[in-house]
Amino acid sequence: MMAFSLRNIVAFLALFHASIVVATLPSCQTCGSPEPSPPAPEPEAFPPEPEVPEPYPSELAPYPEPDQSPEPSEAPIDDDGVFDVTNYGAVADGGTECSSAFSAAWHAACDYPWNSTIYIPEGTFLVGPISFRGPCYNDRSPNVEIRGTLFALSSLSSFKSSYWISFKNLQGLTLIGGPEYGKLDGQGAVEAWKEPSCEKSARCKKLITSIDFINVSHATISNITLSNSKGFHLGLHGSKNIKIYNVKIIAPEDSPNTDGIHVSNSSNISIFSSTIGVGDDCVSIGPGSKNVSVSNIRCGPGHGISVGSLGKYKNEKDVVGINVRNCTINGTENGIRMKTWPGDRPSNAYNMTFEDIVMVNVSNPIIIDQEYCPSHKCKSNEPSMVKLKDIFIKNINGTYSTKSAVIFLCSSEAPCENVQLVNINLNYLVPNSPRQGRLNIKGFLNGLQVINSRF
């Protein structure tokens, strides 16, 4: 009897002890590890974006920055770093505004530590103004691949700045379309081109560039189609080492200020193997442009290929090293043109070559216009102070439809200097007409040579 009682007491004490252990044991924090693991480190914050002065087109006023910085969303990422905008909320129905989704995809790709691509699939996307900004991780820009069609918002009131899509402070960007070209339609015909300032004068008050490259280097643009911009179709400002090829730019002949490609304050720019037909210059090369090559371009309709306009603003930088070659200019208002504003804003443009160009039914095949004033409200009695010199024009063939094949309207204060015309063969389209007066010169020109030419 006594043994039985002791066994019960021992069992009871063992059970009581176990209960105490269970009740007082703290929750397990380090089960399976001899030592506690340190907490996960906080992700390193991306360095703040430096303040960079915004360049702007030479013929536009500075613009304020829109507030477009939505936080990136979590979305699936392909193994190869492809960020599909539809995974961030973009809807390819042509009616849902998708700029927030595009921006979120960009932020995610920009922060990605390896090669990345923003992918815009087939379909129609309605996109408001948006800025793709850098610098990105390790100063390496995502690529942008457009397989679908993008339409801009039609109302001018939707645009606080002078661009639709901008790329800023980036290095190594590739913007490419699909096999049938990525398409971007600015919808300028809906409202912008009908503005009273566009209809009553040669210069619209508000110009929206479809794609703006600002402070971008080592970039490539290819296989895209730009159409119906509210202003310039493609702008390069403060950029360098840019290649543009296999691009189509299309707008009606009467669309105002719809330059195809505008370059200013940029260097080492190569534009080639593209088709441009617009309502203004196919290519315009503005102040501060250096080492710009334009080749194998089919231009028309439009106002031709131009250096300028220059001399509109104070402290413009010089233009140097322009080469235009192997182009066909068809049915345009001008062929190759250099244009400067009257007034006392001095600068220089020199070392410019135009060669191996075919003109087809062009109104003014070769023109220097230092009295450029499209609004006809300039002080025309003030001569231009832009110095044009070392201009070489050779191997120009084709037809023209006005009385003068070559027009030199040079400044009386800053004379044109060292101009060569070599192997110029241009035929007036009016049959059996006298050939006198085909060269029109006004102002002062020092050092004109005409060699083996007939026009």
Side-chain angles (χ1 to χ4, degrees):
M1 188 71 175
M2 179 63 66
F4 175 79
S5 298
L6 288 173
R7 284 195 298 268
N8 279 288
I9 291 171
V10 170
F12 172 79
L13 290 175
L15 180 61
F16 178 77
H17 177 71
S19 299
I20 292 174
V21 171
V22 171
T24 59
L25 184 67
S27 58
C28 178
Q29 300 293 327
T30 60
C31 298
S33 301
E35 295 181 2
S37 300
E42 291 292 329
E44 183 179 356
F46 198 77
E49 180 180 337
E51 293 293 332
V52 178
E54 297 278 348
Y56 52 87
S58 63
E59 298 182 13
L60 302 179
Y63 45 79
E65 289 296 328
D67 184 11
Q68 298 236 3
S69 304
E71 292 296 326
S73 303
E74 293 294 335
I77 304 170
D78 291 348
D79 292 338
D80 54 357
V82 175
F83 294 77
D84 189 325
V85 295
T86 60
N87 291 333
Y88 291 82
V91 181
D93 60 1
T96 303
E97 203 283 313
C98 299
S99 60
S100 294
F102 278 49
S103 183
W106 172 264
H107 279 281
C110 188
D111 291 342
Y112 192 63
W114 296 283
N115 293 335
S116 60
T117 298
I118 300 294
Y119 181 72
I120 303 170
E122 294 181 3
T124 302
F125 298 88
L126 182 66
V127 182
I130 185 170
S131 180
F132 296 122
R133 287 176 170 271
C136 293
Y137 187 90
N138 203 26
D139 203 21
R140 179 172 51 196
S141 170
N143 296 325
V144 178
E145 182 175 349
I146 303 175
R147 294 295 184 97
T149 299
L150 277 57
F151 280 94
L153 297 177
S154 60
S155 175
L156 282 173
S157 63
S158 301
F159 296 85
K160 296 180 180 179
S161 296
S162 62
Y163 59 77
W164 172 22
I165 299 171
S166 72
F167 295 88
K168 301 182 180 182
N169 308 328
L170 295 168
Q171 179 172 300
L173 169 69
T174 296
L175 173 60
I176 189 170
E180 298 298 323
Y181 294 89
K183 299 177 180 179
L184 298 93
D185 192 319
Q187 298 209 84
V190 178
E191 179 182 312
W193 301 345
K194 300 175 183 178
E195 281 290 295
S197 62
C198 297
E199 294 180 347
K200 295 179 181 180
S201 70
R203 182 62 52 190
C204 303
K205 288 184 178 180
K206 189 170 186 178
L207 298 174
I208 307 299
T209 300
S210 285
I211 295 181
D212 237 352
F213 274 39
I214 302 172
N215 192 27
V216 175
S217 64
H218 299 91
T220 299
I221 307 169
S222 65
N223 297 336
I224 63 171
T225 296
L226 298 170
S227 61
N228 304 317
S229 178
K230 295 177 176 66
F232 300 161
H233 284 81
L234 175 59
L236 306 178
H237 312 293
S239 297
K240 61 183 178 181
N241 301 315
I242 309 293
K243 292 183 179 180
I244 303 170
Y245 62 94
N246 289 345
V247 169
K248 294 181 180 179
I249 302 179
I250 305 166
E253 184 176 4
D254 60 350
S255 57
N257 307 132
T258 53
D259 291 41
I261 301 174
H262 179 73
V263 182
S264 71
N265 295 301
S266 298
S267 61
N268 301 326
I269 308 299
S270 181
I271 304 167
F272 59 97
S273 300
S274 296
T275 300
I276 305 173
V278 290
D280 211 304
D281 295 327
C282 294
V283 178
S284 56
I285 301 169
S289 299
K290 296 183 179 180
N291 300 327
V292 178
S293 171
V294 179
S295 62
N296 295 301
I297 299 297
R298 297 180 63 183
C299 168
H303 294 179
I305 298 174
S306 296
V307 175
S309 62
L310 308 177
K312 185 176 183 180
Y313 299 102
K314 294 181 178 180
N315 303 318
E316 290 183 356
K317 294 182 179 179
D318 291 350
V319 173
V320 57
I322 308 303
N323 192 304
V324 179
R325 67 187 187 278
N326 296 325
C327 296
T328 298
I329 303 177
N330 189 347
T332 57
E333 183 176 301
N334 306 290
I336 52 177
R337 175 172 59 159
M338 288 142 276
K339 52 181 177 177
T340 73
W341 291 79
D344 60 349
R345 294 167 292 277
S347 64
N348 300 282
Y350 57 95
N351 191 13
M352 297 177 285
T353 300
F354 306 84
E355 61 183 331
D356 301 321
I357 296 173
V358 175
M359 307 280 185
V360 181
N361 190 20
V362 173
S363 295
N364 303 299
I366 301 171
I367 180 170
I368 293 176
D369 183 4
Q370 295 207 262
E371 299 176 355
Y372 179 72
C373 183
S375 64
H376 306 293
K377 296 180 180 179
C378 303
K379 296 180 180 179
S380 57
N381 59 333
E382 294 185 4
S384 174
M385 293 302 295
V386 179
K387 180 75 171 181
L388 302 178
K389 63 180 180 179
D390 302 334
I391 302 168
F392 308 101
I393 304 171
K394 56 186 179 180
N395 301 333
I396 311 296
N397 298 280
T399 58
Y400 64 99
S401 58
T402 55
K403 292 183 178 180
S404 298
V406 180
I407 301 174
F408 292 152
L409 305 179
C410 293
S411 170
S412 59
E413 290 294 328
C416 305
E417 183 176 321
N418 190 20
V419 179
Q420 294 184 9
L421 298 174
V422 181
N423 296 330
I424 311 299
N425 186 6
L426 295 168
N427 295 309
Y428 187 34
L429 285 176
V430 178
N432 302 319
S433 61
R435 300 198 64 81
Q436 292 84 5
R438 300 294 180 248
L439 173 60
N440 183 354
I441 299 178
K442 178 183 177 182
F444 291 83
L445 196 163
N446 297 330
L448 171 64
Q449 298 183 57
V450 182
I451 303 172
N452 193 30
S453 297
R454 180 177 180 272
F455 48 83

